[in-house]
Amino acid sequence: MLIAGNWKMYKGPAETRAFCATFEPPDGVDVVIAPPYVSLAEAVASGLTVYAQSVHWASAGAYTGEISAPMLLEVGAAGAIVGHSERRQYFGETDETVARRAFAAAEAGLGVIACVGESEEERESGQTELVLRVQVEAIKDAVGTHELLVLAYEPVWAIGTGRTATPELAQEAHAFIKSLLPRPVLYGGSVKPDNAAELLAEPDVDGALVGGASLEPDSFAAICRAASSRS
Ligand code: 13P
């Protein structure tokens, strides 16, 4: 079981230090936090496992605003999220760029959490499997079943909305994703301490990618405990 906290654009170094001073992950579960780039070093210093929220495919070059895999390794990050729906929606990330980022990160020895998920419109028009297939196959073509690759199913309509997928719906999507690419699949989208256990009880839900509820040490620890008691 892997529980990852995606902090998005929250917590600079001082708030990161304060979080790490109080957060106590339980035993029996792999826990990752993914703070903004400027807080990576602070998070690494706490001894927690730390991922970045994206990574570029080149190791260096004229790519203003980007960060490379060797740079992340140098500061002690252990991996990176790629293809989050907010990157796809607001920053022009495509299946091709997600695949390139995932490949470069895994090649460099970073863990990868590659995100996929359908929008509300796509689900309502019956396109969920088609959308997931296209997104997953792009990642599969680039990375294959690399042992450093984990997928995250994040239905866009469940992110930051309080509308969690039902455990049955998550299970169905996870099983479909694994039929295409047999790697662990995390669920993301309004995971909270009170719904984590039922989601994590599904056989193909291998962990969680948590946004809002990962920002408070207590709620994030409660979600980690739910995972630790399942595994
Ligand atoms: P919330 O948990 O805030 O819905 O965010 C989910 C997410 O996007 C994690 O990457």
Side-chain angles (χ1 to χ4, degrees):
M1 279 265 143
L2 170 63
I3 305 294
N6 173 13
W7 287 0
K8 310 193 177 185
M9 200 171 71
Y10 294 100
K11 295 193 195 294
E15 286 184 89
T16 297
R17 195 176 324 126
F19 177 98
C20 295
T22 17
F23 176 63
E24 284 180 28
D27 292 334
V29 54
D30 293 327
V31 178
V32 160
I33 56 169
Y37 291 123
V38 294
S39 302
L40 288 174
E42 201 71 52
V44 167
S46 76
L48 291 171
T49 303
V50 178
Y51 276 32
Q53 296 174 15
S54 185
V55 58
H56 198 261
W57 52 84
S59 54
Y63 298 106
T64 301
E66 291 285 332
I67 302 280
S68 72
M71 292 170 184
L72 294 179
L73 288 165
E74 186 179 343
V75 295
I81 298 169
V82 300
H84 192 278
S85 65
E86 287 149 17
R87 303 273 338 148
R88 294 176 187 259
Q89 206 174 339
Y90 306 130
F91 302 101
E93 202 78 75
T94 64
D95 287 332
E96 190 201 334
T97 58
V98 173
R100 293 179 77 183
R101 291 178 197 276
F103 174 75
E107 277 291 295
L110 289 168
V112 177
I113 298 174
C115 306
V116 298
E118 80 288 358
S119 67
E120 179 153 41
E121 245 184 339
E122 289 161 344
R123 176 159 286 274
E124 279 172 5
S125 58
Q127 290 178 287
T128 298
E129 290 203 346
L130 175 65
V131 169
L132 292 177
R133 180 185 294 279
V134 169
Q135 293 179 347
V136 171
E137 284 185 350
I139 295 162
K140 181 184 176 185
D141 287 348
V143 192
T145 55
H146 202 294
E147 61 178 11
L148 288 168
L149 175 68
V150 168
L151 296 159
Y153 171 59
E154 295 210 316
V156 177
W157 47 268
I159 295 177
T161 58
R163 281 179 60 200
T164 319
T166 61
E168 298 72 31
L169 187 150
Q171 166 59 27
E172 192 183 4
H174 284 224
F176 178 68
I177 290 167
K178 285 190 191 178
S179 75
L180 302 170
L181 180 47
R183 290 299 301 151
V185 182
L186 314 181
Y187 170 77
S190 297
V191 176
K192 307 290 176 200
D194 62 3
N195 62 23
E198 58 176 16
L199 285 159
L200 296 169
E202 293 295 333
D204 289 310
V205 176
D206 303 304
L209 182 55
V210 185
S214 72
L215 294 170
E216 291 298 328
D218 288 351
S219 59
F220 193 46
I223 293 168
C224 295
R225 283 196 300 274
S228 139
S229 56
R230 189 203 126 164
S231 40

